[in-house]
Amino acid sequence: SSIHELGLVYADLKPENIVITESGHAKLTDFGACRPVTPEGRQLIESVDKNSLKDLRDGGWKSATKKEEKSFDSDDAENDDESSQAPCAIDDDGRIEGTTAYLPPEVVMGAFPTTAADSWALGCVIYQCLSGRPPILEADESLTRNRIVAFHLDEGGKCDDEAHLFGDSHSASIEPSARKLIVQLLKRHAIERPSMQQVAREDFFAGAGTDVFTLYQ
């Protein structure tokens, strides 16, 4: 929510980018795919020291030797991702970012990610936390993209894809309030997905008496 309020989209929400601290706090990492989606967000990015952005995008995990071998190139650095899942979200200068299994249909089809893309990814992450697997993951990258583009849930999840989401032993025990939230977040049309502020008021959180914005306290 705070990222969106700054006029930015995170664009790469997935379990690998969420860390749990020793004290139990959840924190986001790897802001390399984060992009402005409002004039205010773009102004914020442009006001940041460019060298700082380069250091952040370099990730801090590459060896010093590797850094000394060649000068920084943002395309090379981002394409050197060791993940087995290929990046897929389009950046405004032609580069692609993100991880396919967590991208919404519109981004897979070539649209620039908006805050609604983060909502879709949140639905994927919640589903994976509760079932042990991403909601849409096929044998290879191409099949996964095709499945995402074709994926569609009616209100309440009543359609063929409901069996895909909640029909196996891993996901059968997902409680109704969680199912409702996942279905809302995995709406095919971006405009129908709830914002992070709306998500916080869903029964999955509010029904349990949880205020997600003060939970860190």
Side-chain angles (χ1 to χ4, degrees):
S1 178
S2 298
I3 296 172
H4 294 174
E5 289 172 6
L6 291 173
L8 307 174
V9 56
Y10 180 63
D12 198 17
L13 182 61
K14 57 183 178 180
E16 293 91 330
N17 285 345
I18 303 171
V19 297
I20 308 297
T21 69
E22 187 177 25
S23 58
H25 293 295
K27 293 179 178 285
L28 290 180
T29 66
D30 190 355
F31 286 77
C34 197
R35 296 291 181 267
V37 290
T38 67
E40 293 78 12
R42 188 168 296 279
Q43 184 177 7
L44 176 64
I45 291 296
E46 291 174 351
S47 68
V48 176
D49 177 69
K50 300 303 180 184
N51 290 327
S52 297
L53 284 177
K54 287 181 179 181
D55 289 342
L56 286 171
R57 288 192 176 181
D58 200 22
W61 54 267
K62 298 182 189 299
S63 67
T65 301
K66 196 168 190 178
K67 289 181 180 178
E68 291 171 0
E69 287 176 352
K70 62 179 181 178
S71 60
F72 181 87
D73 183 281
S74 58
D75 290 327
D76 290 341
E78 293 184 17
N79 289 334
D80 195 28
D81 187 358
E82 295 178 353
S83 169
S84 61
Q85 298 188 63
C88 188
I90 298 177
D91 187 12
D92 48 333
D93 61 2
R95 293 172 302 187
I96 52 178
E97 308 264 3
T99 304
T100 302
Y102 306 92
L103 296 178
E106 69 272 12
V107 174
V108 173
M109 291 188 290
F112 189 87
T114 66
T115 55
D118 285 344
S119 294
W120 173 283
L122 177 61
C124 293
V125 169
I126 292 174
Y127 181 91
Q128 185 165 350
C129 287
L130 298 176
S131 72
R133 64 174 176 84
I136 309 173
L137 186 64
E138 300 296 334
D140 60 46
E141 203 76 15
S142 178
L143 289 175
T144 299
R145 293 184 190 187
N146 291 340
R147 186 76 171 102
I148 291 171
V149 170
F151 189 80
H152 178 70
L153 286 172
D154 291 330
E155 188 67 33
K158 301 298 184 182
C159 70
D160 291 342
D161 281 317
E162 180 187 22
H164 177 85
L165 279 184
F166 306 117
D168 62 19
S169 59
H170 296 286
S171 57
S173 61
I174 296 178
E175 62 175 314
S177 65
R179 291 192 183 205
K180 176 187 173 186
L181 176 57
I182 290 167
V183 167
Q184 291 296 319
L185 290 167
L186 297 185
K187 289 287 188 180
R188 177 175 180 81
H189 301 293
I191 195 172
E192 297 179 354
R193 297 174 206 144
S195 67
M196 295 303 163
Q197 292 283 347
Q198 292 171 322
V199 167
R201 295 193 293 270
E202 287 288 329
D203 291 342
F204 180 69
F205 295 110
T210 301
D211 182 350
V212 299
F213 299 112
T214 61
L215 188 60
Y216 70 93
Q217 296 176 350

